Amino acid sequence: MKPNIVFLVMSAVGKPETVDQLARSLAPHTVLVHHDFSQTPDFVLTAPNARFVPNPKRTGWAFFGFVDGIFHSMKYALANLEFDYLQLLSPSCLPIKPMEAFEAHISGREEAHFDCIDLFADQDALMSVGFRALTPEKSLRHRVVRRLGDAYFGASSGRRDVAGIWLHSGGKKSILALIALGTFKALSRPSIGQHIFDEKFKPYYGSTWFGASRHVVAAMLEKFMHPGVRDYFSQLCIADEFLIPTLLMHVAPAKGPMNHFIQRFDQAHPGRIEDEDMEQLKTVPAFFARKFPDDPAAQIRIRVLAELAGSGPLAQSPGTASGKPRDSNALAPGATALANAGQPADGNYLAGFFGQGKVAQ
């Protein structure tokens, strides 16, 4: 029996035609779209397998609402949809293998697919991004510790591309670098760093783009709701790169490698996949890739869907339907009605449970 998959797409500023094309390429599975209508209000989808998450969160790059939106959507999916597996995607993602191959892949013994690094065990990771995990973003400590990290590596540091992200590598041989390293190691102790990490709750760092079985998704949501978890992570810079890998590692599923190929990062942002990357995409073991151009007519998108995903005309999106923009409770035309459509998700549930935090991605 084929697994029932829900693809969760986090949308905010991209073109609806791009999301439509992505949704069609993932048919017949449900594509659940968390769209921030406050950023792009005129957003209509026509793919019959697409539906919107009710009461979406306000999102934006590096804001915590992106995290809230993911967990709000996971809660909604668990309550309203039958699925065996959930895969997180962005509008800039595309499948790079046929859907049948992905269905077979997730039907094995592995319960979740993601990549991450033990933050305290990897010195490059600790010194590259430890300041983000161990200090509140808007604090004086954050600014001071970040500068120490810069001083540790200097301008001539190397680079490691791992776990869907990248790290500085190496480090200078100087008194200041030794002071920086000692400071970071001291901050890793809860009594000094005043954070929530210890031997029983170690921090991990890696790509946000995970896939997991239903029971793993439920366990992640439960741990996210533990007292203090949301409050702490909501203060961090780009918290999703710590929170999601950390929760997944502590849920302790049978782990497989990440389902994504992510184009080499340019500082904080992944690079864009272009025509010259086609041959590389043919060789990677991943099932999805990002970041593709936000244009359904882009040649690289058309080639990938036709030659790699085998989607053909299914992924060719017709013109966006005219009319008023849909609100966040609307279904895409042709989508099956929810079993519990009369019970909209409470968009303020998580915020009410944990108290207010930073807004958006």
Side-chain angles (χ1 to χ4, degrees):
M1 180 180 297
K2 285 187 176 184
N4 190 358
I5 306 170
V6 166
F7 292 98
L8 172 57
V9 177
M10 299 299 295
S11 168
V13 296
K15 298 176 181 177
E17 296 88 351
T18 301
V19 176
D20 258 333
Q21 185 184 61
L22 172 61
R24 284 184 167 82
S25 73
L26 302 171
H29 299 287
T30 298
V31 176
L32 186 60
V33 180
H34 179 285
H35 179 72
D36 183 356
F37 285 88
S38 68
Q39 296 195 63
T40 311
D42 188 8
F43 195 87
V44 180
L45 296 179
T46 63
N49 59 324
R51 66 196 311 160
F52 287 108
V53 177
N55 307 315
K57 301 293 183 178
R58 173 73 171 86
T59 63
W61 187 80
F63 293 143
F64 196 72
F66 181 69
V67 172
D68 273 339
I70 291 172
F71 283 86
H72 171 59
S73 302
M74 287 163 51
K75 175 176 178 284
Y76 175 80
L78 287 166
N80 295 283
L81 300 174
E82 293 296 328
F83 67 93
D84 303 304
Y85 191 93
L86 182 145
Q87 175 66 50
L88 183 65
L89 300 173
S90 74
S92 67
C93 297
L94 280 178
I96 57 173
K97 286 184 174 57
M99 190 52 51
E100 294 80 6
F102 184 62
E103 292 166 349
H105 168 67
I106 64 169
S107 298
R109 61 173 296 273
E110 295 161 344
E111 301 168 298
H113 299 88
F114 63 101
D115 286 333
C116 64
I117 297 171
D118 184 330
L119 186 66
F120 290 166
D122 188 299
Q123 190 163 303
D124 285 342
L126 177 64
M127 300 307 294
S128 292
V129 298
F131 72 95
R132 285 170 41 199
L134 301 175
T135 61
E137 182 180 11
K138 295 183 179 180
S139 67
L140 176 61
R141 273 193 303 148
H142 181 87
R143 295 194 293 271
V144 171
V145 176
R146 179 173 187 168
R147 289 183 180 179
L148 282 174
D150 292 340
Y152 173 83
F153 287 108
S156 60
S157 65
R159 170 175 173 149
R160 287 167 55 201
D161 287 82
V162 292
I165 44 82
W166 72 275
L167 303 169
H168 292 292
S169 182
K172 296 174 65 177
K173 307 293 184 183
S174 67
I175 297 298
L176 183 57
L178 289 174
I179 293 172
L181 178 60
T183 301
F184 274 67
K185 288 187 173 181
L187 285 173
S188 68
R189 297 166 57 184
S191 58
I192 297 176
Q194 301 178 9
H195 49 72
I196 64 174
F197 306 119
D198 55 25
E199 286 299 316
K200 294 182 178 179
F201 192 65
K202 293 182 179 180
Y204 293 85
Y205 177 67
S207 172
T208 303
W209 309 103
F210 76 98
S213 299
R214 184 185 183 97
H215 70 278
V216 175
V217 171
M220 290 175 65
L221 182 61
E222 180 183 358
K223 284 191 174 291
F224 180 67
M225 294 169 63
H226 282 187
V229 173
R230 184 193 180 281
D231 284 346
Y232 181 79
F233 281 94
S234 68
Q235 302 175 69
L236 304 185
C237 176
I238 319 181
D240 49 293
E241 294 178 343
F242 300 102
L243 175 62
I244 287 177
T246 298
L247 293 184
L248 280 165
M249 287 298 291
H250 289 281
V251 169
K255 178 183 177 300
M258 183 169 59
N259 292 324
H260 266 78
F261 164 78
I262 297 177
Q263 181 66 305
R264 182 182 171 92
F265 271 71
D266 179 9
Q267 297 301 320
H269 301 280
R272 196 165 72 171
I273 296 172
E274 303 288 359
D275 290 342
E276 57 268 24
D277 300 307
M278 186 68 177
E279 292 306 311
Q280 182 182 17
L281 294 180
K282 292 178 180 179
T283 64
V284 297
F287 294 84
F288 304 93
R290 73 184 298 265
K291 178 177 181 180
F292 287 94
D294 182 19
D295 178 5
Q299 184 65 26
I300 183 61
R301 295 180 66 95
I302 294 172
R303 286 192 64 195
V304 163
L305 291 172
E307 299 177 31
L308 302 184
S311 300
L314 283 175
Q316 299 306 311
S317 179
T320 303
S322 61
K324 296 181 179 179
R326 298 184 179 278
D327 64 27
S328 61
N329 291 289
L331 297 176
T336 306
L338 291 175
N340 297 315
Q343 301 176 4
D346 181 1
N348 295 318
Y349 175 79
L350 295 178
F353 191 91
F354 289 102
Q356 296 300 315
K358 290 185 346 184
V359 179
Q361 186 175 344

